[in-house]
Amino acid sequence: MKKIEDYVRSIPDFPEPGIIFRDVTSILQDPDGLQLSIDLIQKKLEGLDFDVIAGTESRGFIFGMPVAYNLHKAFVPVRKKGKLPCETISKEYALEYGTATIEMHKDAVRPGQKVVVIDDLIATGGTIEAAIQMIEELGGEVVKVVFLMELAGLNGREKLAGYDVESVICYEGK
């Protein structure tokens, strides 16, 4: 049986020289890779008491939704600005060049709910940091953050200090 790392396509010098792009689509394109990725993320939640899974657009939806379905938990989409139809809260965060804004519905998380955040990748940690801030603003408690892949060389975990953060795959570089 293949390891999850065997399903990740690594593309050298993309988007710029010296960077190795870790492509998650190669996992999605293989039924065994997709099933293994969901199983491994879900395994990180064994024995954990929680109510809700939040996933960030768009690959957090891909990996978080099946876990929520399998564990019979609610799923909360965290989306790019302007994509949600009801009243929202928003948070701006820094990108390498500029800023971005994400939103979630004001009624997505109730006070006291325990929330797990799932995404495909942690790089600099800005998106997930902003999502956590919104969850806490609504009164939720983030009890775990799970990523399929981590680029440890970008130090994203530093922004998430104090939270229980795990990744299925950890790459030392950027």
Side-chain angles (χ1 to χ4, degrees), residues 84-144:
L84 292 169
C86 296
E87 193 175 358
T88 61
I89 62 169
S90 63
K91 194 64 70 177
E92 185 176 83
Y93 62 98
L95 299 169
E96 188 175 358
Y97 303 105
T99 61
T101 303
I102 55 174
E103 296 180 326
M104 59 192 296
H105 282 139
K106 275 191 170 181
D107 63 356
V109 174
R110 292 186 310 278
Q113 284 189 309
K114 296 177 181 177
V115 182
V116 169
V117 181
I118 295 178
D119 204 357
D120 70 319
L121 176 74
I122 179 171
T124 62
T127 306
I128 298 302
E129 179 186 38
I132 288 171
Q133 289 170 353
M134 288 191 298
I135 291 164
E136 291 176 345
E137 184 179 323
L138 293 175
E141 176 191 358
V142 175
V143 294
K144 192 164 193 94

Side-chain angles (χ1 to χ4, degrees), residues 16-130:
E16 58 187 54
I19 301 293
I20 299 174
F21 185 83
R22 308 297 180 173
D23 186 11
V24 73
T25 63
S26 54
I27 293 172
L28 302 175
Q29 292 169 336
D30 187 292
D32 293 330
L34 177 58
Q35 186 171 32
L36 183 58
S37 66
I38 299 302
D39 290 348
L40 290 170
I41 290 169
Q42 189 168 308
K43 189 170 183 66
K44 301 282 186 191
L45 304 178
E46 286 180 355
L48 184 67
D49 177 33
F50 69 98
D51 307 299
V52 177
I53 292 177
T56 53
E57 189 168 349
S58 65
R59 290 169 299 227
F61 299 177
I62 293 169
F63 293 103
M65 189 64 201
V67 175
Y69 176 83
N70 288 341
L71 299 178
H72 195 70
K73 302 293 182 180
F75 182 81
V76 171
V78 179
R79 301 220 49 199
K80 295 174 185 168
K81 185 177 177 145
K83 300 290 184 178
L84 292 169
C86 296
E87 193 175 358
T88 61
I89 62 169
S90 63
K91 194 64 70 177
E92 185 176 83
Y93 62 98
L95 299 169
E96 188 175 358
Y97 303 105
T99 61
T101 303
I102 55 174
E103 296 180 326
M104 59 192 296
H105 282 139
K106 275 191 170 181
D107 63 356
V109 174
R110 292 186 310 278
Q113 284 189 309
K114 296 177 181 177
V115 182
V116 169
V117 181
I118 295 178
D119 204 357
D120 70 319
L121 176 74
I122 179 171
T124 62
T127 306
I128 298 302
E129 179 186 38

